Amino acid sequence: MIIIRPARVEDAEALPQIEQSAGLAFRAIPELAWLADGDNVSAERHRALIAGGACWVAADNQDRPVGFLSAGIEGDALHIWELDVRLDRQGSGIGRALLERAIADAKRLGLAAVTLTTFRAVAWNAPFYRKFGFRILEGAGIGERLASLLSDEAEHGMASDQRCAMQLDLSRADTR
């Protein structure tokens, strides 16, 4: 049984290992396999995000995190920085449950949108988010904040033609 709950400071140490495990899925995509061995978000950064109050974990029946969604409030939007589920727990609805919780809490807070940057064609990236009503932003619709994030990602080796910014407008969101 999995429980989705707000992340606690003591969860921060476990989250880099979950990110590392989740990243192993990229080994199945030759041109992105390098991501499996990339750097993970530090426990210190996770503690800072948790302190901001917009992070959730999926905990097992012993209250151990097996997945997480880290986000932050950026203006009138909840911005998802990371959504990861341990590789051996992927495909069981945990990512969906984390995303649904984040969307519900963003609505409760009265935010206008949920945003993120992700890979366009990786099945568990843009196609996954589209199922929840996220749309890919293009051109001027991307906005300065998300364009800056995409630019930073390109500087860190991510091909800009493979990345995109996405947004879910909460006034129209269907969280099932």
Side-chain angles (χ1 to χ4, degrees), residues 40-142:
N40 297 312
V41 175
S42 69
E44 295 79 30
R45 173 70 174 141
H46 282 295
R47 280 192 282 279
L49 289 166
I50 290 167
C55 297
W56 300 266
V57 297
D60 66 13
N61 59 0
Q62 295 179 325
D63 201 36
R64 294 178 303 211
V66 298
F68 70 91
L69 187 150
S70 290
I73 297 173
E74 303 285 336
D76 65 350
L78 179 73
H79 183 78
I80 298 173
W81 293 106
E82 193 78 31
L83 171 56
D84 286 315
V85 175
R86 216 173 61 195
L87 185 62
D88 64 333
R89 302 300 293 264
Q90 290 178 7
S92 64
I94 294 171
R96 178 178 57 249
L98 284 162
L99 184 58
E100 287 173 345
R101 174 66 183 269
I103 292 167
D105 282 4
K107 283 182 169 185
R108 184 182 50 76
L109 291 170
L111 297 174
V114 180
T115 62
L116 56 93
T117 61
T118 194
F119 285 101
R120 288 180 181 273
V122 174
W124 61 89
N125 282 202
F128 169 78
Y129 292 107
R130 277 195 188 110
K131 294 176 188 175
F132 292 87
F134 282 80
R135 62 187 169 85
I136 292 178
L137 301 172
E138 303 286 354
I142 294 173

